[in-house]
Amino acid sequence: MTTTQPFEGVMPAMTTPFTERDEIDHEQLADNARYLEAAGVDGLVPVGSTGESATLSHDEHVDVIETVSEAVDDVPVIAGTGSNNTAEALSLSRRAADADADGLLLISPYYNKPEPEGFYEHYTAIADAVDLPQIVYNVPSRTGRSIPVDVTARLAEHENIVGYKAASGDLGLISEVVERTADEEFAVLSGDDGLTLPILSVGGTGTISVVANVEPERTCAMVGSALAGDYERAREIHHELSPLCRELFVETNPIPVKEAMAIRDRGRPDLRPPLTRLSEEHRDDLEALLREYETAAPGEIGAFATPEASR
């Protein structure tokens, strides 16, 4: 990957599996990375929100990046290195580069609520110092403030800032980002699984996806169909995936996806406190729904699946 090549396709936001002793399960993590690569994904994104980066030490953070980078052969590893502290984000970004990350995903500063110039200076400080392709991550539901479109358009002019993870839920804002950055080598990526197809339809180039951890082939089929212009097939698979997208966000991410991974024998359902395991009621619905996906290839489930229909 080079700084002039936009990101495209499906990049799962990986979970971080833990052992019974609450230590990182590096063997399972590596196995999950290899599984996703074999399923055809276009990149891997460890230690983001889905990877529970907020409860990992900095050393654990770097260890996860190293494990994923060593496990895969042909897909880029885009490491989450954001923080509300610019110096901390810069330190993590440098350490990620040393750990062989191919790119960086940088959540906007949370809690502090910077003004527009604060956003701009935060991102340019990291982009000036670390020569890796970088993705700006806008998720106001977690950070408390949305990155202004004017700031995003300015950032897109930087040679190392080559992408934008869109998780605002505001399709109008996301469409404007696409419009305002059209003359740059700049990828707009869905950060909301339920909106991936709409975002692709207005010029998005791919997704950093939670659901792709559980259904990578189906997610790749949907995104690949849309990027190839086959929106009839893309819509069909979008509707197939929609019930799972809803189930994976019925409680705070990554609680449900950790449970789904456990159901699929891809790691324990344990999370670091203060997150807790998925409630039993939701667990039963999720398990019933996943059974339906196991029996059919992409495009074969038919009418919209529901947990009730699969019992």
Side-chain angles (χ1 to χ4, degrees):
M1 184 177 297
T2 68
T3 54
T4 59
Q5 177 183 0
F7 295 93
E8 184 175 279
V10 174
M11 289 156 276
M14 294 184 69
T15 59
T16 302
F18 298 115
T19 68
E20 290 183 86
R21 299 177 60 185
D22 196 35
E23 297 171 345
I24 294 170
D25 187 342
H26 287 279
E27 183 177 351
Q28 184 66 61
L29 178 65
D31 187 61
N32 289 348
R34 288 188 290 266
Y35 160 73
L36 291 168
E37 181 179 32
V41 303
D42 301 285
L44 296 172
V45 184
V47 286
S49 303
T50 306
E52 297 177 74
S53 59
T55 51
L56 300 181
S57 72
H58 287 193
D59 287 343
E60 287 178 320
H61 199 109
V62 174
D63 288 345
V64 167
I65 297 167
E66 289 177 341
T67 294
V68 174
S69 295
E70 291 170 2
V72 296
D73 297 318
D74 297 319
V75 295
V77 175
I78 302 99
T81 58
S83 172
N84 68 323
N85 177 336
T86 302
E88 183 174 89
L90 180 54
S91 173
L92 277 172
S93 297
R94 284 173 166 152
R95 293 186 68 181
D98 291 340
D100 292 329
D102 300 293
L104 307 176
L105 174 67
L106 293 149
I107 194 169
S108 65
Y110 40 87
Y111 188 80
N112 309 63
K113 291 189 173 181
E115 297 300 324
E117 195 62 21
F119 281 121
Y120 181 77
E121 291 182 4
H122 172 83
Y123 280 111
T124 54
I126 299 164
D128 287 344
V130 183
D131 191 21
L132 283 178
Q134 297 168 29
I135 299 172
V136 172
Y137 179 14
N138 189 36
V139 56
S141 64
R142 286 190 183 266
T143 64
R145 183 160 290 185
S146 183
I147 304 170
V149 177
D150 287 347
V151 172
T152 302
R154 289 173 66 197
L155 291 172
E157 297 173 1
H158 196 293
E159 63 179 356
N160 283 341
I161 299 176
V162 299
Y164 175 89
K165 180 180 176 183
S168 65
D170 184 341
L171 191 59
L173 182 150
I174 297 163
S175 180
E176 186 178 355
V177 169
V178 173
E179 295 166 26
R180 296 280 300 277
T181 60
D183 292 335
E184 306 292 340
E185 292 288 340
F186 194 74
V188 176
L189 304 159
S190 171
D192 181 339
D193 281 300
L195 287 180
T196 293
L197 185 56
I199 289 170
L200 292 172
S201 75
V202 297
T205 62
T207 177
I208 296 177
S209 168
V210 175
V211 74
N213 285 287
V214 186
E215 286 289 326
E217 293 94 346
R218 201 170 254 106
T219 307
C220 288
M222 181 190 73
V223 172
S225 296
L227 292 176
D230 186 352
Y231 275 90
E232 182 176 356
R233 178 166 170 77
R235 280 193 299 272
E236 182 179 64
I237 302 171
H238 163 81
H239 287 305
E240 280 189 356
L241 282 171
S242 290
L244 182 57
C245 292
R246 291 190 289 270
E247 285 296 318
L248 291 185
F249 292 92
V250 72
E251 293 182 18
T252 301
N253 179 53
I255 292 173
V257 72
K258 270 292 195 65
E259 196 71 41
M261 295 290 276
I263 292 168
R264 290 283 176 86
D265 295 322
R266 305 226 63 85
R268 297 175 58 82
D270 307 295
L271 301 105
R272 287 260 173 98
L275 296 184
T276 52
R277 189 173 174 184
L278 188 68
S279 66
E280 188 173 346
E281 175 191 0
H282 292 142
R283 196 182 313 160
D284 292 343
D285 287 345
L286 179 59
E287 189 166 10
L289 181 59
L290 287 174
R291 281 199 299 270
E292 183 163 350
Y293 287 100
E294 289 174 356
T295 63
E300 293 183 356
I301 286 181
F304 315 148
T306 63
E308 292 78 12
S310 58
R311 288 175 180 157

